[in-house]
Amino acid sequence: MALEDWYQNKLPGDWHTHNQLCHHAVGTIEDYVKSAIERNLNTIGVSDHFPFEFLKNIDRIPIQDYAITLNEVDTYLATTENLRKKYMDKIKIRIGFEIDFFKNQEYSLNQHLNKVKNKLDYILGSIHVLNFKNGKGAWGFDDSRFRKDYKHYGADRVFINYYKTIQKMLSSTDFDFDIVSHFDLPKKFNDFPLDEENVNNEAIKALEIIKKKGFVMEINTGGLRKKCKEQYPSEKIIREMYDMDIPVLLGSDAHDPRDIAWQFKTTIEMLKEIGYNQLVHFNKRSKFYMEI
Ligand SMILES: [Zn+2]
Ligand SMILES: [Zn+2]
């Protein structure tokens, strides 16, 4: 069978998966790979959270359960590389990281990232932590332990601050990544802004930079398992993206092997209905397009 047919006879890749090395997911990397094979995916992207230890001004963040530690990075990469060879005939395994953007901290990030960058197929750029001027300090807005902070600032300020931080991430010349993860994550607990127009304008500004700089957007089905009960981003935003010709791929944000390819079939139907007929595939930081 030609390689192209091999891909077409399977479900498209799941590019956003975690494992027990990040201390808040269950299962080994191999458990996720096996789950992806059982679900007949053509590709699994292993993308655990890049370490946090070197970051400054995150005193309130319980980093021990946010990410892999620096001394586990080599194990993570070696294990994934071994699995890539072991399961070569059954599934394509791609190696990546989900990396949090912290403004003005790209230099220390790159000191660690540059050592392993040549091993990576792709990088997800994410924001899970925000810091408000005159606030109590950096906090995890999608972490249930920080719900008090979320309520204190209110959805309008959270969404605006979040999209402005995304714009900084997209414009940073030192933050190197390929894919924007869970674009409207502040809706996770079903909070929505009152000033929809203002928030939407900031989201559109971010989409414009994504388009201009050639980034890929993740359609993250993890949101369907959360209180908001919809994928990130919303269908409304996906329609804007389609009109702007922004390329997409799928991620389940699996933190349990059973989450792999979560509602991919219905999500692909939605994407097709909107007009998308291709998904992006990464290999060694280069993009390819696959028909759906
Ligand atoms: Zn996680
Ligand atoms: Zn994430």
Side-chain angles (χ1 to χ4, degrees):
M1 192 174 1
L3 190 60
E4 190 67 14
D5 297 332
W6 184 89
Y7 275 105
Q8 294 307 328
N9 286 321
K10 293 183 180 287
L11 266 184
D14 185 341
W15 295 88
H16 192 151
T17 72
H18 298 278
N19 62 80
Q20 63 193 21
L21 282 171
C22 70
H23 314 279
H24 64 268
V26 295
T28 63
I29 302 173
E30 189 160 15
D31 293 335
Y32 288 81
V33 170
K34 284 181 177 166
S35 173
I37 293 168
E38 274 166 30
R39 285 162 173 75
N40 198 31
L41 300 195
N42 63 35
T43 309
I44 176 169
V46 180
S47 62
D48 217 350
H49 298 278
F50 196 77
F52 272 57
E53 298 114 283
F54 50 84
L55 295 164
K56 301 240 172 352
N57 306 319
I58 53 163
D59 311 345
R60 298 180 67 216
I61 302 294
I63 61 165
Q64 66 285 353
D65 54 29
Y66 265 49
I68 295 181
T69 56
L70 280 171
N71 62 22
E72 288 165 332
V73 166
D74 288 340
T75 308
Y76 169 76
L77 293 171
T79 308
T80 309
E81 178 59 24
N82 287 335
L83 293 168
R84 193 181 69 74
K85 288 181 195 135
K86 180 171 172 186
Y87 291 105
M88 213 168 209
D89 301 333
K90 294 199 164 69
I91 193 163
K92 307 294 164 203
I93 298 180
R94 298 289 181 251
I95 308 174
F97 274 115
E98 177 179 16
I99 307 186
D100 266 70
F101 170 74
F102 287 85
K103 181 173 63 133
N104 302 330
Q105 301 206 46
E106 295 96 323
Y107 178 79
S108 37
L109 164 68
N110 288 336
Q111 279 192 311
H112 299 284
L113 180 59
N114 287 344
K115 288 183 204 156
V116 295
K117 217 150 105 177
N118 64 342
K119 298 201 166 65
L120 304 182
D121 291 305
Y122 68 104
I123 296 171
L124 298 166
S126 292
I127 291 161
H128 304 96
V129 174
L130 293 175
N131 205 350
F132 286 73
K133 254 186 210 139
N134 309 317
K136 285 188 284 180
W139 60 291
F141 68 88
D142 83 320
D143 182 338
S144 57
R145 293 168 290 187
F146 286 100
R147 289 299 288 154
K148 262 193 182 162
D149 295 69
Y150 199 120
K151 293 206 167 88
H152 170 76
Y153 296 115
D156 284 79
R157 284 182 72 194
V158 174
F159 271 87
I160 293 288
N161 188 308
Y162 172 80
Y163 282 126
K164 287 197 180 289
T165 311
I166 286 249
Q167 291 161 19
K168 291 199 177 89
M169 172 177 90
L170 295 163
S171 307
S172 168
T173 47
D174 300 311
F175 188 70
D176 182 16
F177 73 107
D178 308 290
I179 305 158
V180 182
S181 312
H182 39 60
F183 183 69
D184 54 358
L185 184 59
K187 75 182 176 191
K188 178 173 171 179
F189 299 105
N190 214 28
D191 300 287
F192 290 94
L194 296 173
D195 189 353
E196 248 181 73
E197 197 185 327
N198 194 13
V199 168
N200 195 45
N201 287 342
E202 294 301 330
I204 298 288
K205 277 187 214 164
L207 293 183
E208 281 162 359
I209 312 174
I210 290 173
K211 173 64 191 160
K212 193 177 85 192
K213 296 190 74 175
F215 289 117
V216 173
M217 185 76 99
E218 174 200 31
I219 308 299
N220 182 310
T221 60
L224 291 158
R225 301 189 300 272
K226 306 298 178 193
K227 254 189 157 174
C228 61
K229 293 262 179 286
E230 66 172 23
Q231 76 291 327
Y232 313 107
S234 66
E235 193 176 326
K236 184 178 170 227
I237 295 174
I238 300 175
R239 288 187 187 277
E240 298 274 3
M241 286 157 44
Y242 177 73
D243 290 340
M244 294 169 78
D245 205 15
I246 292 173
V248 296
L249 50 64
L250 295 171
S252 68
D253 215 338
H255 284 74
D256 182 312
R258 290 171 295 186
D259 298 338
I260 290 285
W262 192 265
Q263 297 204 26
F264 271 19
K265 283 184 184 152
T266 47
T267 304
I268 291 165
E269 288 314 309
M270 178 193 64
L271 288 174
K272 282 185 173 170
E273 193 270 312
I274 291 171
Y276 277 103
N277 52 25
Q278 286 182 324
L279 292 173
V280 177
H281 181 100
F282 277 93
N283 191 7
K284 292 283 169 211
R285 311 288 310 276
S286 295
K287 314 200 248 301
F288 300 88
Y289 294 88
M290 301 271 181
E291 302 295 317
I292 46 170

